[in-house]
Amino acid sequence: MAVCARLCGVGQSRRCRRRQRNDHCGGPGRVAAAAAAATAEPSDACEYGSGHNTNRRGSNTGPPHPESLMELPPELLVEIFSLLPGTVLPNVALVCKKFRQILNTETIWRRRCVEEFGMREDLRKMEATGVSSQDLYVKLLHPYRHILGLWQPDIGPYGGLLNVVVDGLFIIGWMYLPPHDPRVEDPMRRRPLFRIHLLESKKATVECMYGHKGPHKGDIQTVKKDEFSTKCNQTDHHRMPGGRQEEFRTWLEEEWGRTLEEIFHEHMQELILMKFIYTSQYDNCLTYRRIYLPPLMPSDLLQPGLFKGTYGSHGLEIVMLSFHGMSARATKLTGDPNVPAGQLTLDVDLSQPVDLPELDQQRNIDVLSRIILGIHEKVQREVEQPASDASACVGRAEEEADGAAAEETEVDHGACADACQSGPSGSSSSPEAQPFVLPLGVMARNEVYPRTCRKCFYGTGLIAGHGFTSPERTPGLFVLFDEDRFGFIWLELKSFSLYSRLTDHLPHAHAPSMERFEAMLRNMQSWTS
């Protein structure tokens, strides 16, 4: 603040103002002159330094150089202030009255709304309705900036995906829903849960959008960092004239795209009814925790991100694919009573590529099982072997401390590192696209699936009983079809899951770093464990 005041030519105290009067020839412009002199060429010595006083005596007929920000024209100050983050502009307004008046210029706040929040609307039309860009930034966008991005609602095992975005003159929380089963390649469906706006008054208004009676009063509370909750103040707007039966029929058509009579599988009917009873009790009074999209690394097999996949009678679910060294992991964002949201549904070992047999042999489930189970047994032995090797190496290191032994150990570690680096690169000799067909007896929700694939790897999938009882990892085959689709064959279940990329634009969602992303994954598993 003191530096800004000196640049403006206004002092902080009587002593400061006295110094300015005494040093009138060089006082207020000392900072500007020093900065100019530091960057001036030798030929400019007549203009800066001794030549500066000559200019004041009138020997130089050129235009005078501004000696403070106060001497800059207002249009230039508007341009300068437009480049500053909106969070620091209130401090700039405290410097002096001139700055405070300039900061009322709509151009400054209009630019902040566009650059910081990506608003593409014509804000001039909005300003004609009586809502200024400054009000929009100060009273809506800035106070609620911390809720923008991706969130996971706390709905027990079912989870979910909420995307909070700036949409026109609103901040809207969209709940993302998978397509109707089994159309995994259809676009995602969206349902608004809440919105915030300034339309009715100059104060931000929160409205609940749940139900079928239009917007009504709601509230948003920040619980702690990376966590907030919503509350509906008029839950009667969620009720329907026909009671729970009408609510269930409406929910079923929206959630599954069909009626209960069209679902013949009795177990599937029970799962659907259970989900309706569980999720409808919240009445849009939910707690949300922030989630991030995984960062892209140069060594990643494909672009990480969100995918929707088939999970048998549970319908379509959303997973997050991420890469961690030599493993690819798919974490559930939406779940079911068997394997809840937040759990690691797929764990793929990229150091274990699988060469598929000829097309005729691929149709035999026994051939594929022998290949996968053989790799599974080898991996299990490798997992058990390092523990005994590590203890032996420790004992040997304590007995042999000479340089030759240390050098030999270093060579061994280098060989181990080289072996660990094999994996996706080791299968580079495989053709770019090879024929693929599901084995006979393997169930698939989608009969239409890609008939060529790029690569295959050994992996494990998580299965469990109802209520996440007796969870275990079972071996299977990860099949990479292209940049936007992959599949997994669950050997024990004799089932195939097809996954398709979620292509929606998701701003404010990428993780700041890999460390923050991995910490978020650990927290997700603890939420539902």
Side-chain angles (χ1 to χ4, degrees):
M1 188 68 68
V3 174
C4 294
R6 287 196 296 274
L7 288 174
C8 297
V10 294
Q12 289 289 312
S13 63
R14 183 181 303 169
R15 180 181 177 186
C16 181
R17 289 193 293 271
R18 187 184 302 116
R19 185 185 303 114
Q20 291 176 7
R21 288 194 297 270
N22 294 340
D23 300 337
H24 179 68
C25 293
R30 186 178 302 162
V31 176
T39 59
E41 297 293 335
S43 60
D44 298 332
C46 61
E47 185 174 352
Y48 299 104
S50 60
H52 181 67
N53 292 332
T54 304
N55 182 44
R56 279 193 171 277
R57 290 193 294 270
S59 63
N60 192 334
T61 58
H65 291 277
E67 297 181 345
S68 71
L69 290 177
M70 289 289 291
E71 298 182 15
L72 294 177
E75 59 270 19
L76 187 54
L77 287 175
V78 168
E79 185 65 23
I80 293 174
F81 294 161
S82 297
L83 299 175
L84 298 176
T87 53
V88 305
L89 294 181
N91 292 334
V92 176
L94 298 175
V95 173
C96 61
K97 183 178 180 180
K98 180 178 180 179
F99 283 11
R100 186 166 61 252
Q101 292 174 342
I102 291 176
L103 284 173
N104 289 326
T105 307
E106 284 295 283
T107 304
I108 298 174
W109 300 100
R110 198 180 299 138
R111 186 167 179 176
R112 289 297 93 217
C113 292
V114 172
E115 293 188 358
E116 295 184 21
F117 297 97
M119 296 194 65
R120 299 181 178 88
E121 289 71 26
D122 189 349
L123 297 179
R124 292 183 179 86
K125 294 182 180 179
M126 176 205 67
E127 293 160 8
T129 64
V131 179
S132 66
S133 296
Q134 183 176 1
D135 286 338
L136 184 68
Y137 186 96
V138 173
K139 298 180 180 179
L140 179 65
L141 300 180
H142 182 260
Y144 290 98
R145 70 191 185 282
H146 60 280
I147 69 170
L148 298 177
L150 291 181
W151 304 82
Q152 186 178 43
D154 185 7
I155 316 181
Y158 297 103
L161 179 64
L162 180 81
N163 187 26
V164 184
V165 297
V166 177
D167 192 343
L169 303 182
F170 299 88
I171 291 178
I172 301 182
W174 294 99
M175 180 67 83
Y176 275 63
L177 304 172
H180 293 139
D181 182 54
R183 299 192 294 269
V184 69
E185 298 195 37
D186 284 1
M188 296 286 289
R189 298 175 295 126
R190 300 192 308 172
R191 178 189 303 161
L193 292 190
F194 64 85
R195 70 179 186 181
I196 316 169
H197 61 83
L198 293 175
L199 296 183
E200 298 178 359
S201 65
K202 291 297 183 69
K203 183 180 179 182
T205 302
V206 179
E207 294 179 331
C208 176
M209 302 289 289
Y210 189 77
H212 301 271
K213 296 183 180 180
H216 46 283
K217 292 181 180 180
D219 189 23
I220 289 179
Q221 297 178 346
T222 301
V223 180
K224 56 184 179 181
K225 184 181 179 181
D226 293 337
E227 186 174 320
F228 76 96
S229 61
T230 58
K231 180 182 178 182
C232 177
N233 297 329
Q234 293 178 295
T235 55
D236 55 298
H237 281 64
H238 305 170
R239 308 282 83 85
M240 301 188 74
R244 296 288 279 178
Q245 289 187 353
E246 183 180 358
E247 293 173 14
F248 175 65
R249 292 195 197 97
T250 305
W251 174 87
L252 185 60
E253 291 177 2
E254 293 177 351
E255 190 83 9
W256 292 84
R258 64 186 78 175
T259 63
L260 195 63
E261 291 74 20
E262 296 173 334
I263 302 174
F264 303 104
H265 198 290
E266 184 177 350
H267 178 60
M268 196 172 186
Q269 292 180 352
E270 294 175 355
L271 292 173
I272 291 173
L273 184 59
M274 183 188 308
K275 184 175 182 178
F276 169 74
I277 296 174
Y278 193 98
T279 57
S280 61
Q281 65 180 331
Y282 287 93
D283 269 335
N284 204 26
C285 299
L286 297 168
T287 298
Y288 299 87
R289 299 181 179 92
R290 182 178 294 280
I291 57 177
Y292 294 113
L293 292 180
L296 174 63
M297 298 298 177
S299 60
D300 290 349
L301 184 65
L302 71 157
Q303 172 80 34
L306 304 183
F307 290 78
K308 43 195 185 294
T310 55
Y311 278 85
S313 300
H314 299 291
L316 300 187
E317 299 184 8
I318 306 173
V319 303
M320 178 185 293
L321 180 68
S322 58
F323 294 89
H324 309 262
M326 298 305 297
S327 68
R329 299 172 185 170
T331 305
K332 280 192 172 187
L333 297 185
T334 61
D336 51 69
N338 290 66
V339 179
Q343 295 301 315
L344 183 63
T345 178
L346 301 180
D347 190 359
V348 183
D349 190 344
L350 299 179
S351 67
Q352 301 294 336
V354 176
D355 294 327
L356 293 178
E358 296 296 329
L359 200 59
D360 293 339
Q361 295 294 317
Q362 289 184 33
R363 299 181 184 277
N364 191 332
I365 185 65
D366 295 330
V367 173
L368 181 63
S369 297
R370 281 195 299 269
I371 296 174
I372 299 302
L373 292 178
I375 299 177
H376 181 68
E377 293 174 359
K378 184 183 73 171
V379 170
Q380 294 298 317
R381 288 195 301 268
E382 291 176 353
V383 170
E384 298 171 358
Q385 187 68 21
S388 58
D389 289 349
S391 59
C393 288
V394 170
R396 191 162 55 247
E398 292 177 351
E399 295 175 359
E400 304 174 2
D402 55 273
E407 183 178 352
E408 183 181 352
T409 305
E410 195 170 311
V411 172
D412 291 342
H413 285 188
C416 179
D418 293 339
C420 292
Q421 289 301 320
S422 64
S425 59
S427 60
S428 59
S429 59
S430 60
E432 183 66 20
Q434 51 185 324
F436 173 81
V437 65
L438 285 177
L440 297 176
V442 173
M443 297 177 295
R445 302 289 292 179
N446 289 70
E447 294 298 331
V448 180
Y449 60 88
R451 298 308 169 111
T452 60
C453 65
R454 292 184 181 180
K455 296 180 180 180
C456 297
F457 297 93
Y458 157 82
T460 60
L462 182 62
I463 62 175
H466 186 83
F468 198 42
T469 56
S470 305
E472 62 173 315
R473 306 209 67 86
T474 180
L477 180 69
F478 175 87
V479 185
L480 176 62
F481 295 114
D482 51 44
E483 285 295 320
D484 296 322
R485 292 176 297 178
F486 65 88
F488 191 80
I489 298 178
W490 309 73
L491 287 183
E492 184 173 337
L493 302 179
K494 291 186 178 181
S495 176
F496 173 72
S497 293
L498 178 64
Y499 299 83
S500 177
R501 185 182 296 276
L502 192 154
T503 57
D504 299 65
H505 177 58
L506 302 173
H508 309 285
H510 289 278
S513 64
M514 193 63 184
E515 291 73 17
R516 288 282 296 274
F517 176 75
E518 290 179 345
M520 178 214 68
L521 285 183
R522 291 191 295 269
N523 290 335
M524 285 179 61
Q525 294 182 7
S526 66
W527 298 338
T528 57
S529 294

